[in-house]
Amino acid sequence: MSPVILFSLVIAYFLLLLGVAWLTSRNANNESFFIGNRGSNWMLVAFGMIGTSLSGVTFVSVPGTVGSDAFTYFQIVIGNLIGYGVVAFVLLPVYYRMQLTSIYNYLQSRLGFRSYKTGASFFILSRVLGATARLYLVVNILHLTILKDFGLPFWVGAFVILLMILLYTFEGGVKTIVWTDTLQTACMLIGLLVCVWYILNDLGLSLPQGVQALSDKGYSNIFVMDPDSRFFFVKQIVAGAFISITMTGMDQEMMQKNISVRTLKDSQKNMMTFAVIFMLVVLLFLFLGGLLYLFAESKGIAATGDALFPTVALEYMPGAVSIIFIIALISALFPSADGAITALTASFCIDILGIQRNSALSDAKRKRIRQIVHLAFAGVFLLFVMVFKWMDNPSMIGLILKIAGYTYGPLLGLFAFGILTKRAVNDRLVPWVVVISPVICFIIDHYQQQLFGGFQIGLELLFINGLITFLGLWLVKGKTAQA
């Protein structure tokens, strides 16, 4: 497939997004940018959240893990469903009752101002690292398949993609993203289905025969029964539950879309509908991963891991399917990056700079500050994408989940302490607690063999981090409880 044709399709797709952004951002203000004027349709939000949650990493990395880990990733997804139930029926009622624009305002009302600032800061750190890791993976694929043939360096491709994202989110924010994410999720799922259909057809298999072929190879095994393994099903399901509670329910990017829905009931319907669809889509990605390994075996393809799907799609599939793959890949990229930049902008403006607390600022001044912050985060994204390029990790999904264990753990501890207890804390000491907790977890993780022998700590590090934070908050008791 000609790089010129692929590049032209990328530009055409971006122009379509820009058209949607123009239509949805007319008469937009800061309230539109931050929470869509609380008027988003719950069905659109639920569908669009699929694209945000999956991202380019899921699109490429999850199928790539099947060769080594079979379907064990689905254990995490089962836990995710439990976690999404907690988000829907425990966290969302709190956020709606308090009419929050930033969910971290809850920490201020319950624990104190420093706790609030600390929680927002950890979200910013978490989302910058997670979103830029996802962004790097897709930019790298686009660089290798398209931009490299034009003689462009990697950083130019990253810059251009970030510029595209800025252009269509700059005015409308969440109000625009609800619609663009819906479009992009549809394109991504169409690409997934087309690739599954093509490989089944090429291998001469029906759908039931494909399922049987994966079973015969051991690719469809889900549950691991060895308690010492880091893939032990209890560990994975518990970790999956806490991952979805933290990375969705305590994440401003995901929650700003949920709280943009008109009512709590609709928001809860959105969350649980999304949860069920998410499970089915991930299962389909794992099925695709198994088919990719069968296809690679039949064609003598040596690529594995993150490189497998792009190699098969761009070198062994017809041009039309390659085009669909590129569009689907871009569709997986943009929802995870556009929402992240928008949420980071909202959190930094509201939580760190306090533009809504400052009554002396005019609406025009607030908008100007928001736009400057938006541009600054695009620059931060470019910097971190270059850092991940330098690291060149072969499996980005493992890296992202590892990062989440360290950065989302303190958020889990803060919110759990606030919701589950009535105990006051010494607000001045809270930042120390949430910094020390990840340090302790790093030591535990680094020396786990010496500490636990054959028992392996995996994704449950997130829960351990949250528990240490919770216990630390319990120890730094304050004089009076917050409202």
Side-chain angles (χ1 to χ4, degrees), residues 171-182:
E171 287 295 326
V174 171
K175 187 178 179 182
T176 292
I177 287 171
V178 166
W179 288 96
T180 55
D181 280 5
T182 300

Side-chain angles (χ1 to χ4, degrees), residues 1 252 333:
M1 176 59 60
Q252 177 66 19
L333 159 68

Side-chain angles (χ1 to χ4, degrees), residues 53-72:
S53 298
L54 293 175
S55 80
V57 172
T58 308
F59 197 79
V60 172
S61 274
V62 168
T65 64
V66 173
S68 58
D69 303 334
F71 279 20
T72 56

Side-chain angles (χ1 to χ4, degrees), residues 86-97 255 258-259 264 267-268 270-271:
V86 174
V87 174
F89 299 106
V90 177
L91 294 178
L92 281 176
V94 174
Y95 300 155
Y96 268 83
R97 184 176 69 249
M255 285 297 97
N258 276 275
I259 60 179
L264 170 61
S267 186
Q268 289 171 327
N270 152 61
M271 178 55 62

Side-chain angles (χ1 to χ4, degrees), residues 298-310:
S298 70
K299 305 294 184 184
I301 301 170
T304 59
D306 290 356
L308 177 61
F309 194 8

Side-chain angles (χ1 to χ4, degrees), residues 349-417:
C349 288
I350 296 169
D351 302 321
I352 306 301
L353 299 181
I355 65 172
Q356 289 192 321
R357 296 190 300 270
N358 190 344
S359 58
L361 292 176
S362 65
D363 288 342
K365 182 66 173 177
R366 290 190 179 100
K367 182 176 181 179
R368 180 62 178 164
I369 292 171
R370 184 252 295 171
Q371 290 173 334
I372 292 171
V373 171
H374 201 175
L375 290 170
F377 270 114
V380 170
F381 268 46
L382 179 61
L383 174 64
F384 275 89
V385 166
M386 297 307 298
V387 170
F388 283 114
K389 174 66 175 174
W390 171 72
M391 292 173 61
D392 195 25
N393 191 287
S395 180
M396 293 305 295
I397 192 163
L399 178 63
I400 288 169
L401 292 175
K402 190 76 168 180
I403 290 171
Y406 287 108
T407 58
Y408 279 96
L411 284 174
L412 174 61
L414 283 166
F415 276 90
F417 189 88

Side-chain angles (χ1 to χ4, degrees), residues 258-270:
N258 276 275
I259 60 179
S260 74
V261 174
R262 295 181 183 91
T263 67
L264 170 61
K265 184 177 179 180
D266 282 349
S267 186
Q268 289 171 327
K269 286 191 293 185
N270 152 61

Side-chain angles (χ1 to χ4, degrees), residues 173-248:
V174 171
K175 187 178 179 182
T176 292
I177 287 171
V178 166
W179 288 96
T180 55
D181 280 5
T182 300
L183 170 64
Q184 291 171 125
T185 299
C187 291
M188 181 180 65
L189 295 182
I190 290 170
L192 170 62
L193 292 170
V194 168
C195 290
V196 168
W197 168 82
Y198 174 80
I199 296 176
L200 283 172
N201 188 62
D202 185 88
L203 295 174
L205 300 173
S206 64
L207 182 60
Q209 289 171 333
V211 172
Q212 185 60 49
L214 264 59
S215 178
D216 293 341
K217 285 285 187 178
Y219 289 145
S220 59
N221 295 334
I222 295 176
F223 297 102
V224 176
M225 299 301 179
D226 179 8
D228 288 338
S229 171
R230 64 189 178 94
F231 295 114
F232 180 46
F233 78 98
V234 175
K235 294 181 184 178
Q236 296 287 93
I237 291 174
V238 170
F242 283 105
I243 284 170
S244 57
I245 290 170
T246 53
M247 296 184 71
T248 299

